[in-house]
Amino acid sequence: MSTLSPPLREAMQQIGMLLQAGDLRGAHDRLQSVVKQHPDYAEALRLLGGVRQALGDIEGAEALLRKAMAADPGWAPTWASLGELLLNSGRAGEAVPLLQRVASRLPHAALLLARYYNDQQRPADALTVAAHPCSSAQAPAELIAQHVAALAALGRQDEAVRFYRQRAEALPNDPAAAHAMAMALAAASEHAAAERITRNALARGHATAAVHFTHASSLIALGQMEAAEAALRDCLRQDPRHIEAHDHLARLVWMRTGDSTQTTALLDQALQQCQGDEALLATKAAILQGAGNAHGAYQCLATAAAHAQAAPSLLVRAGLAALEFDPAVALALAERALQRSPSANAARNLLAAALLGIGDAQQALRHCEALLANTPDDQYLIALQTTAWRLLGDPRYEAFCDYADLVRAQTLQAPLPWPDLPSFLADVKRSLQRLHNPHGHPLLFQSLRHGTETTGDLARHPDPVIQALFQAFDAPIRAYLTHIGSGADPLRRRNRGTYRYNGGWSVQLRSAGFHTNHVHPRGWISSAFYVDLPDGMASASTPDGCLAFGQPSILTTPPLHAQHLVRPEAGRLVLFPSYVWHGTVPFHSEQTRLTVAFDVVPGDAA
């Protein structure tokens, strides 16, 4: 861009101060004046477009950004701003080429693109975008987080640790380099080291919102919930719009209180400061729905969703809430989202589920097939597809959901040095119970009811007993891979004879406890391992506490019920495809039911 005249430079500096102070209306009026005097000044047009977007005028913002691009096609920030607007509007097909063009020059464009690819379960693409800008010591923390997430999704956590450790050692006095190493260590489940590094960075004055958030995440994994809650509040004091911090804080407050009013209190304060902020509204709705209040989640968004210019992402969020109690309402919201953003996968996902809810399985199947053409390993989409087949009486359902063949139960062999399985399970029980939340409230956004679930990845936990448990799972997993063999279906076509863990956790259910029906969208093979059961559950004549397969979590017309049960037995490992609907039948006992579960995904080719 050409050199600015002194009056224009002064005007832009004043506008920058107005934007920094949050005075959008004042900045808007000054920018309009600048644009009137300098109609071809791309940066003023771009900033005015951003302000219009923040004020809710998406169409006006897009028009200004396109005018800015025409005025100066070489001004990369305009490409990034327009790409971000289109991405937020669900128009990824238009946004991605714009962002790709400038991602190598603008870290913000690389961040937007990497986050999009990670969200779309395309970590290899995210890595391609993030790797080059993250080679710079000036890479922003948010982009580093996406780089680390991509490597972790590919099972390359150790590579991330090596990369960022080398940088931290080369720049020993750079707190940003230390923070980057902490993020990599956290992704590799080395939470104690990550916590120590972020604590030191904070003590040295590098107290950014991002460092507070990374610190909090490690504290959560270490079970230091009070300290984590304080760290998240510190983060939100600096950045009241930090969506992930609001999400994590809500989870902690819910675990501590089980009270939705307290859970969303700080989020409500942020919404008072940023009235109408769609990202904050959507976060609150997700939290309410995660706490079991789908009607409240829908009401939270109803007014904003009724607006003609509501973002497709907000319409989808409202539709996900409505899907739990009125699929017809969810269908209408999905259709509106697709009208505004025909290529939005999330809206089409919602549409397919809503069509199953109103009984139009044929149309639902058409949308599932279109979506699976792009993301063939999405286990939730496969679950919707097989549900449509079941409603239509399609024989492919019986092949994909052959529970008698694909759900396999095996008794674990006690690893050395334990003399027998009961003594091993007793030690596993002691190790796991130290990790369960003593407050007794379930985690938000989880399928369990009346119980607790561990935080952190058990598959990478340093406890030697837990490590021995996951090593003992190896033989049954390999036997399962041999059993299923190869083939063209979504389970067998990914079988290369190798695997890696993609998360592990433990659940402790108390009386009346159960798992709602669900699938594991990012898994391949899922599991349930029984550590400790109430007396008599393994030999009971009722289905109480059994693992049930086949009943969808979504409403369908007509309703569909479970088709296969597996009775729990201490020491038994059950393996099954991640796409099959599964849940737990409620039980009643004074004793608890303790299990471990994990997902595996294909490993590198042998």
Side-chain angles (χ1 to χ4, degrees), residues 212 215-217 219-220 224-233 249 252:
H212 279 302
H215 189 218
S217 299
L219 288 167
I220 291 170
Q224 300 179 36
M225 303 307 182
E226 290 184 13
E229 187 173 327
L232 289 169
R233 293 184 186 278
L249 180 62
L252 291 185

Side-chain angles (χ1 to χ4, degrees), residues 90-130:
R91 296 157 65 184
E94 299 171 69
V96 167
L98 295 175
L99 295 170
Q100 286 174 330
R101 180 160 175 169
V102 296
S104 62
R105 288 182 283 161
L106 288 181
H108 183 62
L111 167 63
L112 294 168
L113 206 49
R115 182 186 292 139
Y116 167 74
Y117 285 138
N118 276 329
D119 288 346
Q120 294 294 309
Q121 301 182 45
R122 295 166 59 183
D125 291 329
L127 185 59
T128 299
V129 169

Side-chain angles (χ1 to χ4, degrees), residues 359-370:
D360 192 347
Q362 195 65 57
Q363 278 284 82
L365 184 58
R366 183 172 66 84
H367 290 290
C368 287
E369 289 171 346

Side-chain angles (χ1 to χ4, degrees), residues 13-27 273-274:
Q13 288 172 346
Q14 292 173 354
I15 288 165
M17 288 188 288
L18 289 169
L19 289 171
Q20 195 170 19
D23 185 358
L24 294 180
R25 190 55 67 183
Q273 297 172 21
C274 312

